[in-house]
Amino acid sequence: MIGNILVGLVALIHCYIVYLEMVLWDTPSGHKAFKLTPEFASASKVLAANQGLYNGFLAAGLIWGLYLGAGGSQIRMFFLLCVTIAGLYGAATVGRKILFIQTVPAVLAIVVLWLGL
């Protein structure tokens, strides 16, 4: 139960990231969230949308795993591991903030699911 709530939270975080990267990237809100200059945001808008799409796939996988109920446990774990690896890479290459926004919630969900909570 708690594990599924955390999986849902991670999925919601990624839905919000999709929205930020695909819709708000080249707006004042996107500039603030990602600490972008308007010039850089404009030049990288297509790349950000592509990145947002990948985050959408992560969210979709987590939602799919939740939808399947008990039969989706391996799917949930797989996508949580993908989120964790992506978060670690992002934290190492982009900024430490990603570690706390993306990686920590995914790892927490993995631990709780592994414990059967």
Side-chain angles (χ1 to χ4, degrees):
M1 170 75 172
I2 296 170
N4 285 337
I5 291 170
L6 291 173
V7 171
L9 177 65
V10 174
L12 285 174
I13 289 168
H14 278 76
C15 287
Y16 182 63
I17 293 170
V18 169
Y19 182 68
L20 282 170
E21 292 174 340
M22 296 187 85
V23 178
L24 297 180
W25 186 263
D26 198 14
T27 68
S29 297
H31 302 165
K32 182 179 178 185
F34 295 104
K35 298 178 183 170
L36 306 172
T37 64
E39 297 78 24
F40 180 80
S42 180
S44 60
K45 186 175 182 175
V46 173
L47 293 173
N50 185 52
Q51 185 172 297
L53 185 62
Y54 283 93
N55 278 300
F57 289 136
L58 293 173
L62 292 169
I63 292 166
W64 176 39
L66 287 171
Y67 173 77
L68 292 175
S73 62
Q74 291 179 332
I75 292 168
R76 289 190 298 274
M77 194 63 76
F78 171 78
F79 281 97
L80 286 169
L81 288 169
C82 290
V83 168
T84 300
I85 293 166
L88 289 171
Y89 184 79
T93 60
V94 177
R96 221 170 158 191
K97 180 178 170 184
I98 294 171
L99 185 69
F100 301 104
I101 292 173
Q102 187 171 341
T103 310
V104 170
V107 169
L108 184 60
I110 289 169
V111 169
V112 169
L113 286 174
W114 186 70
L115 293 173
L117 301 173

PDB file of all heavy atoms in Angstrom, residues 21-37:
ATOM      1  N   GLU A  21       9.240  20.373 -19.010  1.00  0.00           N
ATOM      2  CA  GLU A  21      10.161  20.273 -20.143  1.00  0.00           C
ATOM      3  C   GLU A  21       9.484  20.445 -21.491  1.00  0.00           C
ATOM      4  O   GLU A  21      10.087  20.977 -22.425  1.00  0.00           O
ATOM      5  CB  GLU A  21      10.898  18.926 -20.092  1.00  0.00           C
ATOM      6  CG  GLU A  21      11.849  18.844 -18.926  1.00  0.00           C
ATOM      7  CD  GLU A  21      12.502  17.499 -18.746  1.00  0.00           C
ATOM      8  OE1 GLU A  21      11.985  16.478 -19.276  1.00  0.00           O
ATOM      9  OE2 GLU A  21      13.537  17.444 -18.067  1.00  0.00           O
ATOM     10  N   MET A  22       8.248  20.013 -21.611  1.00  0.00           N
ATOM     11  CA  MET A  22       7.581  20.065 -22.915  1.00  0.00           C
ATOM     12  C   MET A  22       6.719  21.304 -23.116  1.00  0.00           C
ATOM     13  O   MET A  22       6.515  21.723 -24.247  1.00  0.00           O
ATOM     14  CB  MET A  22       6.745  18.805 -23.133  1.00  0.00           C
ATOM     15  CG  MET A  22       7.585  17.548 -23.197  1.00  0.00           C
ATOM     16  SD  MET A  22       6.653  16.087 -23.649  1.00  0.00           S
ATOM     17  CE  MET A  22       6.701  16.229 -25.441  1.00  0.00           C
ATOM     18  N   VAL A  23       6.226  21.878 -22.028  1.00  0.00           N
ATOM     19  CA  VAL A  23       5.301  23.005 -22.145  1.00  0.00           C
ATOM     20  C   VAL A  23       5.909  24.303 -21.615  1.00  0.00           C
ATOM     21  O   VAL A  23       5.802  25.354 -22.253  1.00  0.00           O
ATOM     22  CB  VAL A  23       3.968  22.693 -21.417  1.00  0.00           C
ATOM     23  CG1 VAL A  23       3.019  23.871 -21.485  1.00  0.00           C
ATOM     24  CG2 VAL A  23       3.325  21.441 -21.995  1.00  0.00           C
ATOM     25  N   LEU A  24       6.528  24.235 -20.456  1.00  0.00           N
ATOM     26  CA  LEU A  24       6.984  25.459 -19.787  1.00  0.00           C
ATOM     27  C   LEU A  24       8.449  25.809 -20.027  1.00  0.00           C
ATOM     28  O   LEU A  24       8.913  26.826 -19.524  1.00  0.00           O
ATOM     29  CB  LEU A  24       6.744  25.346 -18.274  1.00  0.00           C
ATOM     30  CG  LEU A  24       5.296  25.227 -17.824  1.00  0.00           C
ATOM     31  CD1 LEU A  24       5.221  25.132 -16.313  1.00  0.00           C
ATOM     32  CD2 LEU A  24       4.462  26.382 -18.334  1.00  0.00           C
ATOM     33  N   TRP A  25       9.182  24.994 -20.738  1.00  0.00           N
ATOM     34  CA  TRP A  25      10.629  25.190 -20.912  1.00  0.00           C
ATOM     35  C   TRP A  25      10.978  26.624 -21.313  1.00  0.00           C
ATOM     36  O   TRP A  25      11.845  27.249 -20.734  1.00  0.00           O
ATOM     37  CB  TRP A  25      11.157  24.204 -21.948  1.00  0.00           C
ATOM     38  CG  TRP A  25      12.647  24.225 -22.103  1.00  0.00           C
ATOM     39  CD1 TRP A  25      13.358  24.898 -23.060  1.00  0.00           C
ATOM     40  CD2 TRP A  25      13.608  23.554 -21.299  1.00  0.00           C
ATOM     41  NE1 TRP A  25      14.702  24.676 -22.904  1.00  0.00           N
ATOM     42  CE2 TRP A  25      14.881  23.846 -21.823  1.00  0.00           C
ATOM     43  CE3 TRP A  25      13.524  22.724 -20.189  1.00  0.00           C
ATOM     44  CZ2 TRP A  25      16.052  23.347 -21.275  1.00  0.00           C
ATOM     45  CZ3 TRP A  25      14.681  22.218 -19.643  1.00  0.00           C
ATOM     46  CH2 TRP A  25      15.936  22.533 -20.186  1.00  0.00           C
ATOM     47  N   ASP A  26      10.308  27.130 -22.314  1.00  0.00           N
ATOM     48  CA  ASP A  26      10.634  28.455 -22.856  1.00  0.00           C
ATOM     49  C   ASP A  26       9.693  29.540 -22.325  1.00  0.00           C
ATOM     50  O   ASP A  26       9.232  30.409 -23.061  1.00  0.00           O
ATOM     51  CB  ASP A  26      10.607  28.410 -24.384  1.00  0.00           C
ATOM     52  CG  ASP A  26      11.343  29.576 -25.023  1.00  0.00           C
ATOM     53  OD1 ASP A  26      12.098  30.264 -24.315  1.00  0.00           O
ATOM     54  OD2 ASP A  26      11.150  29.806 -26.225  1.00  0.00           O
ATOM     55  N   THR A  27       9.385  29.451 -21.033  1.00  0.00           N
ATOM     56  CA  THR A  27       8.549  30.453 -20.370  1.00  0.00           C
ATOM     57  C   THR A  27       9.287  30.904 -19.107  1.00  0.00           C
ATOM     58  O   THR A  27      10.229  30.248 -18.666  1.00  0.00           O
ATOM     59  CB  THR A  27       7.182  29.863 -19.948  1.00  0.00           C
ATOM     60  OG1 THR A  27       7.392  28.900 -18.906  1.00  0.00           O
ATOM     61  CG2 THR A  27       6.462  29.217 -21.126  1.00  0.00           C
ATOM     62  N   PRO A  28       8.866  32.002 -18.509  1.00  0.00           N
ATOM     63  CA  PRO A  28       9.507  32.427 -17.256  1.00  0.00           C
ATOM     64  C   PRO A  28       9.506  31.333 -16.179  1.00  0.00           C
ATOM     65  O   PRO A  28      10.486  31.189 -15.443  1.00  0.00           O
ATOM     66  CB  PRO A  28       8.689  33.646 -16.833  1.00  0.00           C
ATOM     67  CG  PRO A  28       8.202  34.228 -18.133  1.00  0.00           C
ATOM     68  CD  PRO A  28       7.907  33.019 -18.997  1.00  0.00           C
ATOM     69  N   SER A  29       8.436  30.547 -16.100  1.00  0.00           N
ATOM     70  CA  SER A  29       8.390  29.459 -15.113  1.00  0.00           C
ATOM     71  C   SER A  29       9.448  28.408 -15.402  1.00  0.00           C
ATOM     72  O   SER A  29      10.105  27.901 -14.484  1.00  0.00           O
ATOM     73  CB  SER A  29       7.012  28.795 -15.108  1.00  0.00           C
ATOM     74  OG  SER A  29       6.031  29.703 -14.709  1.00  0.00           O
ATOM     75  N   GLY A  30       9.605  28.042 -16.658  1.00  0.00           N
ATOM     76  CA  GLY A  30      10.627  27.076 -17.051  1.00  0.00           C
ATOM     77  C   GLY A  30      12.025  27.612 -16.829  1.00  0.00           C
ATOM     78  O   GLY A  30      12.909  26.899 -16.357  1.00  0.00           O
ATOM     79  N   HIS A  31      12.219  28.887 -17.149  1.00  0.00           N
ATOM     80  CA  HIS A  31      13.531  29.515 -16.928  1.00  0.00           C
ATOM     81  C   HIS A  31      13.909  29.455 -15.449  1.00  0.00           C
ATOM     82  O   HIS A  31      15.051  29.131 -15.099  1.00  0.00           O
ATOM     83  CB  HIS A  31      13.524  30.974 -17.379  1.00  0.00           C
ATOM     84  CG  HIS A  31      13.163  31.156 -18.816  1.00  0.00           C
ATOM     85  ND1 HIS A  31      12.803  32.374 -19.332  1.00  0.00           N
ATOM     86  CD2 HIS A  31      13.106  30.292 -19.858  1.00  0.00           C
ATOM     87  CE1 HIS A  31      12.532  32.258 -20.619  1.00  0.00           C
ATOM     88  NE2 HIS A  31      12.703  30.988 -20.955  1.00  0.00           N
ATOM     89  N   LYS A  32      12.930  29.732 -14.597  1.00  0.00           N
ATOM     90  CA  LYS A  32      13.192  29.730 -13.159  1.00  0.00           C
ATOM     91  C   LYS A  32      13.453  28.313 -12.648  1.00  0.00           C
ATOM     92  O   LYS A  32      14.388  28.091 -11.878  1.00  0.00           O
ATOM     93  CB  LYS A  32      11.999  30.348 -12.419  1.00  0.00           C
ATOM     94  CG  LYS A  32      12.203  30.431 -10.932  1.00  0.00           C
ATOM     95  CD  LYS A  32      11.010  31.078 -10.251  1.00  0.00           C
ATOM     96  CE  LYS A  32      11.205  31.102  -8.746  1.00  0.00           C
ATOM     97  NZ  LYS A  32      10.036  31.613  -8.048  1.00  0.00           N
ATOM     98  N   ALA A  33      12.633  27.358 -13.081  1.00  0.00           N
ATOM     99  CA  ALA A  33      12.764  25.981 -12.597  1.00  0.00           C
ATOM    100  C   ALA A  33      14.114  25.371 -12.963  1.00  0.00           C
ATOM    101  O   ALA A  33      14.706  24.634 -12.175  1.00  0.00           O
ATOM    102  CB  ALA A  33      11.639  25.115 -13.155  1.00  0.00           C
ATOM    103  N   PHE A  34      14.584  25.685 -14.170  1.00  0.00           N
ATOM    104  CA  PHE A  34      15.822  25.069 -14.654  1.00  0.00           C
ATOM    105  C   PHE A  34      17.005  26.035 -14.686  1.00  0.00           C
ATOM    106  O   PHE A  34      18.066  25.697 -15.199  1.00  0.00           O
ATOM    107  CB  PHE A  34      15.596  24.471 -16.048  1.00  0.00           C
ATOM    108  CG  PHE A  34      14.618  23.329 -16.047  1.00  0.00           C
ATOM    109  CD1 PHE A  34      13.324  23.514 -16.512  1.00  0.00           C
ATOM    110  CD2 PHE A  34      14.983  22.086 -15.579  1.00  0.00           C
ATOM    111  CE1 PHE A  34      12.416  22.471 -16.521  1.00  0.00           C
ATOM    112  CE2 PHE A  34      14.081  21.029 -15.576  1.00  0.00           C
ATOM    113  CZ  PHE A  34      12.795  21.220 -16.049  1.00  0.00           C
ATOM    114  N   LYS A  35      16.795  27.246 -14.176  1.00  0.00           N
ATOM    115  CA  LYS A  35      17.848  28.278 -14.151  1.00  0.00           C
ATOM    116  C   LYS A  35      18.415  28.523 -15.555  1.00  0.00           C
ATOM    117  O   LYS A  35      19.615  28.426 -15.794  1.00  0.00           O
ATOM    118  CB  LYS A  35      18.956  27.902 -13.169  1.00  0.00           C
ATOM    119  CG  LYS A  35      18.459  27.789 -11.744  1.00  0.00           C
ATOM    120  CD  LYS A  35      19.552  27.380 -10.790  1.00  0.00           C
ATOM    121  CE  LYS A  35      18.964  27.215  -9.404  1.00  0.00           C
ATOM    122  NZ  LYS A  35      19.870  26.617  -8.458  1.00  0.00           N
ATOM    123  N   LEU A  36      17.503  28.841 -16.473  1.00  0.00           N
ATOM    124  CA  LEU A  36      17.855  29.044 -17.877  1.00  0.00           C
ATOM    125  C   LEU A  36      17.808  30.513 -18.255  1.00  0.00           C
ATOM    126  O   LEU A  36      16.997  31.266 -17.722  1.00  0.00           O
ATOM    127  CB  LEU A  36      16.857  28.304 -18.781  1.00  0.00           C
ATOM    128  CG  LEU A  36      16.622  26.826 -18.533  1.00  0.00           C
ATOM    129  CD1 LEU A  36      15.473  26.334 -19.388  1.00  0.00           C
ATOM    130  CD2 LEU A  36      17.886  26.041 -18.836  1.00  0.00           C
ATOM    131  N   THR A  37      18.632  30.880 -19.191  1.00  0.00           N
ATOM    132  CA  THR A  37      18.473  32.187 -19.821  1.00  0.00           C
ATOM    133  C   THR A  37      17.424  32.022 -20.921  1.00  0.00           C
ATOM    134  O   THR A  37      17.275  30.924 -21.481  1.00  0.00           O
ATOM    135  CB  THR A  37      19.790  32.671 -20.450  1.00  0.00           C
ATOM    136  OG1 THR A  37      20.152  31.783 -21.505  1.00  0.00           O
ATOM    137  CG2 THR A  37      20.900  32.764 -19.407  1.00  0.00           C
TER     138      THR A  37
END
